[in-house]
PDB file of all heavy atoms in Angstrom:
ATOM      1  N   PHE N   1     -79.009  54.735 193.868  1.00 89.00           N
ATOM      2  CA  PHE N   1     -78.604  53.747 192.881  1.00 89.00           C
ATOM      3  C   PHE N   1     -77.165  53.325 193.151  1.00 89.00           C
ATOM      4  O   PHE N   1     -76.315  54.145 193.486  1.00 89.00           O
ATOM      5  CB  PHE N   1     -78.706  54.322 191.463  1.00 89.00           C
ATOM      6  CG  PHE N   1     -80.116  54.558 191.009  1.00 89.00           C
ATOM      7  CD1 PHE N   1     -80.720  55.786 191.189  1.00 89.00           C
ATOM      8  CD2 PHE N   1     -80.847  53.543 190.419  1.00 89.00           C
ATOM      9  CE1 PHE N   1     -82.024  56.012 190.800  1.00 89.00           C
ATOM     10  CE2 PHE N   1     -82.154  53.757 190.017  1.00 89.00           C
ATOM     11  CZ  PHE N   1     -82.739  54.990 190.202  1.00 89.00           C
ATOM     12  N   ILE N   2     -76.917  52.025 192.993  1.00 91.00           N
ATOM     13  CA  ILE N   2     -75.565  51.479 193.091  1.00 91.00           C
ATOM     14  C   ILE N   2     -75.234  50.814 191.770  1.00 91.00           C
ATOM     15  O   ILE N   2     -76.021  50.017 191.256  1.00 91.00           O
ATOM     16  CB  ILE N   2     -75.447  50.447 194.229  1.00 91.00           C
ATOM     17  CG1 ILE N   2     -75.721  51.089 195.579  1.00 91.00           C
ATOM     18  CG2 ILE N   2     -74.073  49.798 194.230  1.00 91.00           C
ATOM     19  CD1 ILE N   2     -75.717  50.098 196.733  1.00 91.00           C
ATOM     20  N   THR N   3     -74.111  51.162 191.185  1.00 90.00           N
ATOM     21  CA  THR N   3     -73.667  50.521 189.950  1.00 90.00           C
ATOM     22  C   THR N   3     -72.429  49.695 190.243  1.00 90.00           C
ATOM     23  O   THR N   3     -71.485  50.171 190.876  1.00 90.00           O
ATOM     24  CB  THR N   3     -73.345  51.554 188.850  1.00 90.00           C
ATOM     25  OG1 THR N   3     -72.267  52.379 189.282  1.00 90.00           O
ATOM     26  CG2 THR N   3     -74.556  52.420 188.557  1.00 90.00           C
ATOM     27  N   VAL N   4     -72.436  48.466 189.769  1.00 91.00           N
ATOM     28  CA  VAL N   4     -71.313  47.563 190.018  1.00 91.00           C
ATOM     29  C   VAL N   4     -70.016  48.131 189.468  1.00 91.00           C
ATOM     30  O   VAL N   4     -68.962  48.054 190.101  1.00 91.00           O
ATOM     31  CB  VAL N   4     -71.608  46.183 189.408  1.00 91.00           C
ATOM     32  CG1 VAL N   4     -70.382  45.273 189.482  1.00 91.00           C
ATOM     33  CG2 VAL N   4     -72.791  45.532 190.122  1.00 91.00           C
ATOM     34  N   GLU N   5     -70.072  48.737 188.269  1.00 86.00           N
ATOM     35  CA  GLU N   5     -68.849  49.219 187.635  1.00 86.00           C
ATOM     36  C   GLU N   5     -68.221  50.398 188.383  1.00 86.00           C
ATOM     37  O   GLU N   5     -67.004  50.587 188.324  1.00 86.00           O
ATOM     38  CB  GLU N   5     -69.130  49.629 186.185  1.00 86.00           C
ATOM     39  CG  GLU N   5     -70.056  50.826 186.035  1.00 86.00           C
ATOM     40  CD  GLU N   5     -70.201  51.289 184.596  1.00 86.00           C
ATOM     41  OE1 GLU N   5     -69.364  50.895 183.766  1.00 86.00           O
ATOM     42  OE2 GLU N   5     -71.154  52.032 184.312  1.00 86.00           O
ATOM     43  N   LEU N   6     -69.017  51.175 189.122  1.00 85.00           N
ATOM     44  CA  LEU N   6     -68.499  52.342 189.834  1.00 85.00           C
ATOM     45  C   LEU N   6     -68.283  52.073 191.329  1.00 85.00           C
ATOM     46  O   LEU N   6     -67.571  52.832 191.984  1.00 85.00           O
ATOM     47  CB  LEU N   6     -69.446  53.534 189.665  1.00 85.00           C
ATOM     48  CG  LEU N   6     -69.666  54.016 188.229  1.00 85.00           C
ATOM     49  CD1 LEU N   6     -70.638  55.188 188.215  1.00 85.00           C
ATOM     50  CD2 LEU N   6     -68.353  54.410 187.576  1.00 85.00           C
ATOM     51  N   GLY N   7     -68.906  51.025 191.848  1.00 85.00           N
ATOM     52  CA  GLY N   7     -68.720  50.691 193.247  1.00 85.00           C
ATOM     53  C   GLY N   7     -69.798  51.282 194.145  1.00 85.00           C
ATOM     54  O   GLY N   7     -70.561  52.172 193.743  1.00 85.00           O
ATOM     55  N   ALA N   8     -69.846  50.785 195.369  1.00 82.00           N
ATOM     56  CA  ALA N   8     -70.893  51.169 196.308  1.00 82.00           C
ATOM     57  C   ALA N   8     -70.759  52.604 196.810  1.00 82.00           C
ATOM     58  O   ALA N   8     -71.711  53.176 197.332  1.00 82.00           O
ATOM     59  CB  ALA N   8     -70.901  50.206 197.496  1.00 82.00           C
ATOM     60  N   ASP N   9     -69.574  53.198 196.658  1.00 82.00           N
ATOM     61  CA  ASP N   9     -69.339  54.531 197.214  1.00 82.00           C
ATOM     62  C   ASP N   9     -69.643  55.669 196.239  1.00 82.00           C
ATOM     63  O   ASP N   9     -69.485  56.840 196.584  1.00 82.00           O
ATOM     64  CB  ASP N   9     -67.890  54.659 197.686  1.00 82.00           C
ATOM     65  CG  ASP N   9     -67.574  53.703 198.830  1.00 82.00           C
ATOM     66  OD1 ASP N   9     -68.497  53.421 199.617  1.00 82.00           O
ATOM     67  OD2 ASP N   9     -66.430  53.234 198.920  1.00 82.00           O
ATOM     68  N   ALA N  10     -70.044  55.329 195.011  1.00 79.00           N
ATOM     69  CA  ALA N  10     -70.337  56.373 194.018  1.00 79.00           C
ATOM     70  C   ALA N  10     -71.603  57.124 194.413  1.00 79.00           C
ATOM     71  O   ALA N  10     -72.676  56.533 194.551  1.00 79.00           O
ATOM     72  CB  ALA N  10     -70.502  55.754 192.632  1.00 79.00           C
ATOM     73  N   ASP N  11     -71.476  58.429 194.621  1.00 77.00           N
ATOM     74  CA  ASP N  11     -72.623  59.232 195.035  1.00 77.00           C
ATOM     75  C   ASP N  11     -73.350  59.794 193.811  1.00 77.00           C
ATOM     76  O   ASP N  11     -72.893  59.626 192.679  1.00 77.00           O
ATOM     77  CB  ASP N  11     -72.182  60.352 195.979  1.00 77.00           C
ATOM     78  CG  ASP N  11     -71.142  61.271 195.359  1.00 77.00           C
ATOM     79  OD1 ASP N  11     -71.046  61.305 194.113  1.00 77.00           O
ATOM     80  OD2 ASP N  11     -70.430  61.956 196.107  1.00 77.00           O
ATOM     81  N   PRO N  12     -74.503  60.460 193.985  1.00 75.00           N
ATOM     82  CA  PRO N  12     -75.245  61.005 192.843  1.00 75.00           C
ATOM     83  C   PRO N  12     -74.423  61.934 191.958  1.00 75.00           C
ATOM     84  O   PRO N  12     -74.596  61.958 190.735  1.00 75.00           O
ATOM     85  CB  PRO N  12     -76.409  61.752 193.519  1.00 75.00           C
ATOM     86  CG  PRO N  12     -76.625  61.010 194.794  1.00 75.00           C
ATOM     87  CD  PRO N  12     -75.260  60.598 195.241  1.00 75.00           C
ATOM     88  N   PHE N  13     -73.510  62.705 192.557  1.00 75.00           N
ATOM     89  CA  PHE N  13     -72.677  63.597 191.756  1.00 75.00           C
ATOM     90  C   PHE N  13     -71.821  62.797 190.783  1.00 75.00           C
ATOM     91  O   PHE N  13     -71.701  63.146 189.604  1.00 75.00           O
ATOM     92  CB  PHE N  13     -71.780  64.434 192.663  1.00 75.00           C
ATOM     93  CG  PHE N  13     -70.768  65.264 191.899  1.00 75.00           C
ATOM     94  CD1 PHE N  13     -71.151  66.414 191.227  1.00 75.00           C
ATOM     95  CD2 PHE N  13     -69.438  64.862 191.834  1.00 75.00           C
ATOM     96  CE1 PHE N  13     -70.231  67.168 190.509  1.00 75.00           C
ATOM     97  CE2 PHE N  13     -68.514  65.604 191.118  1.00 75.00           C
ATOM     98  CZ  PHE N  13     -68.911  66.763 190.453  1.00 75.00           C
ATOM     99  N   MET N  14     -71.231  61.698 191.262  1.00 75.00           N
ATOM    100  CA  MET N  14     -70.411  60.864 190.386  1.00 75.00           C
ATOM    101  C   MET N  14     -71.241  60.232 189.280  1.00 75.00           C
ATOM    102  O   MET N  14     -70.804  60.138 188.133  1.00 75.00           O
ATOM    103  CB  MET N  14     -69.709  59.778 191.201  1.00 75.00           C
ATOM    104  CG  MET N  14     -68.569  60.269 192.073  1.00 75.00           C
ATOM    105  SD  MET N  14     -67.731  58.901 192.920  1.00 75.00           S
ATOM    106  CE  MET N  14     -67.104  57.957 191.507  1.00 75.00           C
ATOM    107  N   LEU N  15     -72.468  59.798 189.611  1.00 76.00           N
ATOM    108  CA  LEU N  15     -73.334  59.208 188.592  1.00 76.00           C
ATOM    109  C   LEU N  15     -73.662  60.225 187.507  1.00 76.00           C
ATOM    110  O   LEU N  15     -73.627  59.909 186.311  1.00 76.00           O
ATOM    111  CB  LEU N  15     -74.624  58.687 189.234  1.00 76.00           C
ATOM    112  CG  LEU N  15     -74.474  57.545 190.245  1.00 76.00           C
ATOM    113  CD1 LEU N  15     -75.838  57.126 190.773  1.00 76.00           C
ATOM    114  CD2 LEU N  15     -73.760  56.358 189.624  1.00 76.00           C
ATOM    115  N   HIS N  16     -73.964  61.463 187.906  1.00 73.00           N
ATOM    116  CA  HIS N  16     -74.220  62.528 186.941  1.00 73.00           C
ATOM    117  C   HIS N  16     -72.983  62.758 186.069  1.00 73.00           C
ATOM    118  O   HIS N  16     -73.069  62.926 184.847  1.00 73.00           O
ATOM    119  CB  HIS N  16     -74.577  63.835 187.662  1.00 73.00           C
ATOM    120  CG  HIS N  16     -75.999  63.910 188.083  1.00 73.00           C
ATOM    121  ND1 HIS N  16     -76.420  63.562 189.335  1.00 73.00           N
ATOM    122  CD2 HIS N  16     -77.120  64.304 187.420  1.00 73.00           C
ATOM    123  CE1 HIS N  16     -77.726  63.732 189.430  1.00 73.00           C
ATOM    124  NE2 HIS N  16     -78.173  64.180 188.287  1.00 73.00           N
ATOM    125  N   LEU N  17     -71.826  62.795 186.704  1.00 77.00           N
ATOM    126  CA  LEU N  17     -70.584  63.080 185.994  1.00 77.00           C
ATOM    127  C   LEU N  17     -70.269  62.004 184.965  1.00 77.00           C
ATOM    128  O   LEU N  17     -69.964  62.313 183.805  1.00 77.00           O
ATOM    129  CB  LEU N  17     -69.437  63.201 187.005  1.00 77.00           C
ATOM    130  CG  LEU N  17     -68.047  63.518 186.424  1.00 77.00           C
ATOM    131  CD1 LEU N  17     -68.080  64.854 185.694  1.00 77.00           C
ATOM    132  CD2 LEU N  17     -67.004  63.544 187.538  1.00 77.00           C
ATOM    133  N   TYR N  18     -70.357  60.741 185.365  1.00 74.00           N
ATOM    134  CA  TYR N  18     -70.070  59.653 184.438  1.00 74.00           C
ATOM    135  C   TYR N  18     -71.078  59.613 183.298  1.00 74.00           C
ATOM    136  O   TYR N  18     -70.719  59.346 182.147  1.00 74.00           O
ATOM    137  CB  TYR N  18     -70.061  58.315 185.175  1.00 74.00           C
ATOM    138  CG  TYR N  18     -68.736  57.982 185.812  1.00 74.00           C
ATOM    139  CD1 TYR N  18     -68.447  58.376 187.108  1.00 74.00           C
ATOM    140  CD2 TYR N  18     -67.748  57.282 185.108  1.00 74.00           C
ATOM    141  CE1 TYR N  18     -67.222  58.082 187.704  1.00 74.00           C
ATOM    142  CE2 TYR N  18     -66.529  56.985 185.690  1.00 74.00           C
ATOM    143  CZ  TYR N  18     -66.271  57.387 186.990  1.00 74.00           C
ATOM    144  OH  TYR N  18     -65.060  57.090 187.571  1.00 74.00           O
ATOM    145  N   ALA N  19     -72.341  59.874 183.599  1.00 73.00           N
ATOM    146  CA  ALA N  19     -73.356  59.897 182.550  1.00 73.00           C
ATOM    147  C   ALA N  19     -73.086  61.022 181.555  1.00 73.00           C
ATOM    148  O   ALA N  19     -73.208  60.849 180.341  1.00 73.00           O
ATOM    149  CB  ALA N  19     -74.743  60.057 183.174  1.00 73.00           C
ATOM    150  N   ALA N  20     -72.694  62.195 182.068  1.00 76.00           N
ATOM    151  CA  ALA N  20     -72.405  63.341 181.200  1.00 76.00           C
ATOM    152  C   ALA N  20     -71.195  63.061 180.324  1.00 76.00           C
ATOM    153  O   ALA N  20     -71.182  63.390 179.129  1.00 76.00           O
ATOM    154  CB  ALA N  20     -72.176  64.592 182.050  1.00 76.00           C
ATOM    155  N   LEU N  21     -70.160  62.453 180.898  1.00 74.00           N
ATOM    156  CA  LEU N  21     -68.950  62.137 180.130  1.00 74.00           C
ATOM    157  C   LEU N  21     -69.254  61.120 179.037  1.00 74.00           C
ATOM    158  O   LEU N  21     -68.776  61.245 177.900  1.00 74.00           O
ATOM    159  CB  LEU N  21     -67.861  61.601 181.064  1.00 74.00           C
ATOM    160  CG  LEU N  21     -67.221  62.627 182.018  1.00 74.00           C
ATOM    161  CD1 LEU N  21     -66.293  61.925 183.002  1.00 74.00           C
ATOM    162  CD2 LEU N  21     -66.455  63.685 181.220  1.00 74.00           C
ATOM    163  N   ALA N  22     -70.043  60.099 179.369  1.00 69.00           N
ATOM    164  CA  ALA N  22     -70.392  59.083 178.381  1.00 69.00           C
ATOM    165  C   ALA N  22     -71.202  59.680 177.242  1.00 69.00           C
ATOM    166  O   ALA N  22     -70.992  59.371 176.062  1.00 69.00           O
ATOM    167  CB  ALA N  22     -71.177  57.949 179.045  1.00 69.00           C
ATOM    168  N   GLU N  23     -72.150  60.566 177.578  1.00 70.00           N
ATOM    169  CA  GLU N  23     -72.972  61.211 176.557  1.00 70.00           C
ATOM    170  C   GLU N  23     -72.130  62.100 175.646  1.00 70.00           C
ATOM    171  O   GLU N  23     -72.292  62.116 174.429  1.00 70.00           O
ATOM    172  CB  GLU N  23     -74.079  62.020 177.230  1.00 70.00           C
ATOM    173  CG  GLU N  23     -75.092  62.597 176.255  1.00 70.00           C
ATOM    174  CD  GLU N  23     -76.216  63.301 176.978  1.00 70.00           C
ATOM    175  OE1 GLU N  23     -77.167  62.631 177.403  1.00 70.00           O
ATOM    176  OE2 GLU N  23     -76.144  64.531 177.135  1.00 70.00           O
ATOM    177  N   LYS N  24     -71.196  62.841 176.248  1.00 71.00           N
ATOM    178  CA  LYS N  24     -70.317  63.711 175.471  1.00 71.00           C
ATOM    179  C   LYS N  24     -69.414  62.902 174.554  1.00 71.00           C
ATOM    180  O   LYS N  24     -69.193  63.269 173.386  1.00 71.00           O
ATOM    181  CB  LYS N  24     -69.470  64.571 176.426  1.00 71.00           C
ATOM    182  CG  LYS N  24     -68.554  65.559 175.718  1.00 71.00           C
ATOM    183  CD  LYS N  24     -69.331  66.592 174.920  1.00 71.00           C
ATOM    184  CE  LYS N  24     -68.405  67.643 174.332  1.00 71.00           C
ATOM    185  NZ  LYS N  24     -69.157  68.636 173.518  1.00 71.00           N
ATOM    186  N   GLU N  25     -68.882  61.795 175.057  1.00 69.00           N
ATOM    187  CA  GLU N  25     -68.006  60.949 174.248  1.00 69.00           C
ATOM    188  C   GLU N  25     -68.745  60.397 173.032  1.00 69.00           C
ATOM    189  O   GLU N  25     -68.221  60.383 171.917  1.00 69.00           O
ATOM    190  CB  GLU N  25     -67.466  59.797 175.096  1.00 69.00           C
ATOM    191  CG  GLU N  25     -66.516  58.879 174.323  1.00 69.00           C
ATOM    192  CD  GLU N  25     -66.056  57.708 175.158  1.00 69.00           C
ATOM    193  OE1 GLU N  25     -66.710  57.389 176.173  1.00 69.00           O
ATOM    194  OE2 GLU N  25     -65.033  57.102 174.806  1.00 69.00           O
ATOM    195  N   ARG N  26     -69.980  59.962 173.230  1.00 66.00           N
ATOM    196  CA  ARG N  26     -70.761  59.439 172.104  1.00 66.00           C
ATOM    197  C   ARG N  26     -71.022  60.522 171.070  1.00 66.00           C
ATOM    198  O   ARG N  26     -70.980  60.273 169.865  1.00 66.00           O
ATOM    199  CB  ARG N  26     -72.089  58.866 172.611  1.00 66.00           C
ATOM    200  CG  ARG N  26     -71.959  57.552 173.328  1.00 66.00           C
ATOM    201  CD  ARG N  26     -73.327  56.916 173.546  1.00 66.00           C
ATOM    202  NE  ARG N  26     -74.211  57.805 174.305  1.00 66.00           N
ATOM    203  CZ  ARG N  26     -74.240  57.861 175.626  1.00 66.00           C
ATOM    204  NH1 ARG N  26     -73.414  57.122 176.327  1.00 66.00           N
ATOM    205  NH2 ARG N  26     -75.070  58.663 176.256  1.00 66.00           N
ATOM    206  N   ALA N  27     -71.305  61.745 171.549  1.00 73.00           N
ATOM    207  CA  ALA N  27     -71.555  62.850 170.621  1.00 73.00           C
ATOM    208  C   ALA N  27     -70.311  63.179 169.808  1.00 73.00           C
ATOM    209  O   ALA N  27     -70.396  63.435 168.591  1.00 73.00           O
ATOM    210  CB  ALA N  27     -72.025  64.084 171.401  1.00 73.00           C
ATOM    211  N   LEU N  28     -69.144  63.148 170.442  1.00 77.00           N
ATOM    212  CA  LEU N  28     -67.891  63.447 169.738  1.00 77.00           C
ATOM    213  C   LEU N  28     -67.570  62.376 168.705  1.00 77.00           C
ATOM    214  O   LEU N  28     -67.139  62.678 167.592  1.00 77.00           O
ATOM    215  CB  LEU N  28     -66.747  63.572 170.745  1.00 77.00           C
ATOM    216  CG  LEU N  28     -66.778  64.811 171.657  1.00 77.00           C
ATOM    217  CD1 LEU N  28     -65.680  64.725 172.704  1.00 77.00           C
ATOM    218  CD2 LEU N  28     -66.633  66.083 170.827  1.00 77.00           C
ATOM    219  N   ILE N  29     -67.779  61.113 169.084  1.00 76.00           N
ATOM    220  CA  ILE N  29     -67.517  60.021 168.143  1.00 76.00           C
ATOM    221  C   ILE N  29     -68.427  60.132 166.934  1.00 76.00           C
ATOM    222  O   ILE N  29     -68.004  59.966 165.786  1.00 76.00           O
ATOM    223  CB  ILE N  29     -67.709  58.662 168.845  1.00 76.00           C
ATOM    224  CG1 ILE N  29     -66.606  58.436 169.882  1.00 76.00           C
ATOM    225  CG2 ILE N  29     -67.711  57.521 167.824  1.00 76.00           C
ATOM    226  CD1 ILE N  29     -66.804  57.205 170.730  1.00 76.00           C
ATOM    227  N   SER N  30     -69.710  60.417 167.181  1.00 73.00           N
ATOM    228  CA  SER N  30     -70.670  60.563 166.085  1.00 73.00           C
ATOM    229  C   SER N  30     -70.285  61.719 165.172  1.00 73.00           C
ATOM    230  O   SER N  30     -70.322  61.597 163.937  1.00 73.00           O
ATOM    231  CB  SER N  30     -72.069  60.788 166.655  1.00 73.00           C
ATOM    232  OG  SER N  30     -73.003  61.016 165.623  1.00 73.00           O
ATOM    233  N   ALA N  31     -69.881  62.858 165.767  1.00 81.00           N
ATOM    234  CA  ALA N  31     -69.503  64.027 164.970  1.00 81.00           C
ATOM    235  C   ALA N  31     -68.257  63.742 164.130  1.00 81.00           C
ATOM    236  O   ALA N  31     -68.188  64.127 162.955  1.00 81.00           O
ATOM    237  CB  ALA N  31     -69.259  65.218 165.892  1.00 81.00           C
ATOM    238  N   ARG N  32     -67.269  63.079 164.721  1.00 81.00           N
ATOM    239  CA  ARG N  32     -66.041  62.764 163.973  1.00 81.00           C
ATOM    240  C   ARG N  32     -66.318  61.807 162.828  1.00 81.00           C
ATOM    241  O   ARG N  32     -65.766  61.956 161.734  1.00 81.00           O
ATOM    242  CB  ARG N  32     -64.993  62.166 164.926  1.00 81.00           C
ATOM    243  CG  ARG N  32     -64.358  63.185 165.864  1.00 81.00           C
ATOM    244  CD  ARG N  32     -63.096  62.630 166.487  1.00 81.00           C
ATOM    245  NE  ARG N  32     -63.360  61.479 167.344  1.00 81.00           N
ATOM    246  CZ  ARG N  32     -63.553  61.558 168.653  1.00 81.00           C
ATOM    247  NH1 ARG N  32     -63.521  62.736 169.259  1.00 81.00           N
ATOM    248  NH2 ARG N  32     -63.781  60.476 169.363  1.00 81.00           N
ATOM    249  N   THR N  33     -67.176  60.840 163.062  1.00 83.00           N
ATOM    250  CA  THR N  33     -67.513  59.870 162.019  1.00 83.00           C
ATOM    251  C   THR N  33     -68.214  60.552 160.856  1.00 83.00           C
ATOM    252  O   THR N  33     -67.881  60.326 159.674  1.00 83.00           O
ATOM    253  CB  THR N  33     -68.412  58.758 162.589  1.00 83.00           C
ATOM    254  OG1 THR N  33     -67.723  58.094 163.654  1.00 83.00           O
ATOM    255  CG2 THR N  33     -68.758  57.733 161.514  1.00 83.00           C
ATOM    256  N   LYS N  34     -69.184  61.411 161.164  1.00 81.00           N
ATOM    257  CA  LYS N  34     -69.911  62.131 160.105  1.00 81.00           C
ATOM    258  C   LYS N  34     -68.985  63.056 159.331  1.00 81.00           C
ATOM    259  O   LYS N  34     -69.085  63.162 158.105  1.00 81.00           O
ATOM    260  CB  LYS N  34     -71.062  62.921 160.723  1.00 81.00           C
ATOM    261  CG  LYS N  34     -72.189  62.056 161.252  1.00 81.00           C
ATOM    262  CD  LYS N  34     -73.287  62.901 161.882  1.00 81.00           C
ATOM    263  CE  LYS N  34     -74.415  62.036 162.410  1.00 81.00           C
ATOM    264  NZ  LYS N  34     -75.483  62.832 163.059  1.00 81.00           N
ATOM    265  N   ALA N  35     -68.066  63.713 160.033  1.00 82.00           N
ATOM    266  CA  ALA N  35     -67.139  64.623 159.375  1.00 82.00           C
ATOM    267  C   ALA N  35     -66.200  63.857 158.445  1.00 82.00           C
ATOM    268  O   ALA N  35     -65.909  64.305 157.325  1.00 82.00           O
ATOM    269  CB  ALA N  35     -66.332  65.397 160.418  1.00 82.00           C
ATOM    270  N   ALA N  36     -65.729  62.704 158.891  1.00 79.00           N
ATOM    271  CA  ALA N  36     -64.824  61.903 158.071  1.00 79.00           C
ATOM    272  C   ALA N  36     -65.522  61.399 156.816  1.00 79.00           C
ATOM    273  O   ALA N  36     -64.958  61.427 155.714  1.00 79.00           O
ATOM    274  CB  ALA N  36     -64.281  60.739 158.894  1.00 79.00           C
ATOM    275  N   LEU N  37     -66.771  60.955 156.951  1.00 80.00           N
ATOM    276  CA  LEU N  37     -67.522  60.471 155.793  1.00 80.00           C
ATOM    277  C   LEU N  37     -67.813  61.609 154.819  1.00 80.00           C
ATOM    278  O   LEU N  37     -67.722  61.433 153.592  1.00 80.00           O
ATOM    279  CB  LEU N  37     -68.833  59.828 156.257  1.00 80.00           C
ATOM    280  CG  LEU N  37     -68.700  58.495 157.007  1.00 80.00           C
ATOM    281  CD1 LEU N  37     -70.054  58.047 157.528  1.00 80.00           C
ATOM    282  CD2 LEU N  37     -68.099  57.424 156.112  1.00 80.00           C
ATOM    283  N   ALA N  38     -68.140  62.780 155.355  1.00 79.00           N
ATOM    284  CA  ALA N  38     -68.409  63.933 154.492  1.00 79.00           C
ATOM    285  C   ALA N  38     -67.147  64.343 153.729  1.00 79.00           C
ATOM    286  O   ALA N  38     -67.215  64.705 152.543  1.00 79.00           O
ATOM    287  CB  ALA N  38     -68.922  65.097 155.336  1.00 79.00           C
ATOM    288  N   ALA N  39     -66.003  64.282 154.390  1.00 79.00           N
ATOM    289  CA  ALA N  39     -64.742  64.636 153.728  1.00 79.00           C
ATOM    290  C   ALA N  39     -64.417  63.660 152.604  1.00 79.00           C
ATOM    291  O   ALA N  39     -63.978  64.065 151.520  1.00 79.00           O
ATOM    292  CB  ALA N  39     -63.611  64.651 154.757  1.00 79.00           C
ATOM    293  N   LYS N  40     -64.629  62.375 152.849  1.00 75.00           N
ATOM    294  CA  LYS N  40     -64.384  61.366 151.816  1.00 75.00           C
ATOM    295  C   LYS N  40     -65.303  61.583 150.617  1.00 75.00           C
ATOM    296  O   LYS N  40     -64.883  61.500 149.454  1.00 75.00           O
ATOM    297  CB  LYS N  40     -64.614  59.964 152.402  1.00 75.00           C
ATOM    298  CG  LYS N  40     -63.515  59.487 153.332  1.00 75.00           C
ATOM    299  CD  LYS N  40     -62.235  59.184 152.570  1.00 75.00           C
ATOM    300  CE  LYS N  40     -61.183  58.586 153.477  1.00 75.00           C
ATOM    301  NZ  LYS N  40     -59.925  58.307 152.732  1.00 75.00           N
ATOM    302  N   LYS N  41     -66.563  61.875 150.907  1.00 76.00           N
ATOM    303  CA  LYS N  41     -67.520  62.089 149.833  1.00 76.00           C
ATOM    304  C   LYS N  41     -67.157  63.321 149.026  1.00 76.00           C
ATOM    305  O   LYS N  41     -67.272  63.335 147.785  1.00 76.00           O
ATOM    306  CB  LYS N  41     -68.924  62.241 150.427  1.00 76.00           C
ATOM    307  CG  LYS N  41     -70.035  62.272 149.387  1.00 76.00           C
ATOM    308  CD  LYS N  41     -71.400  62.263 150.047  1.00 76.00           C
ATOM    309  CE  LYS N  41     -72.502  62.259 148.986  1.00 76.00           C
ATOM    310  NZ  LYS N  41     -73.855  62.232 149.622  1.00 76.00           N
ATOM    311  N   ALA N  42     -66.694  64.376 149.700  1.00 78.00           N
ATOM    312  CA  ALA N  42     -66.290  65.607 149.012  1.00 78.00           C
ATOM    313  C   ALA N  42     -65.084  65.376 148.112  1.00 78.00           C
ATOM    314  O   ALA N  42     -64.899  66.063 147.102  1.00 78.00           O
ATOM    315  CB  ALA N  42     -65.971  66.693 150.038  1.00 78.00           C
TER     316      ALA N  42
END
């Protein structure tokens, strides 16, 4: 696979790494949002 945003030289390891980082970032954002809403409600 070649992704335009990562360039032609991105190997499978880099694709795994970027996918893992993106997934982790989304999980952290979701957790922070839920925690903030719960705190406001409390």
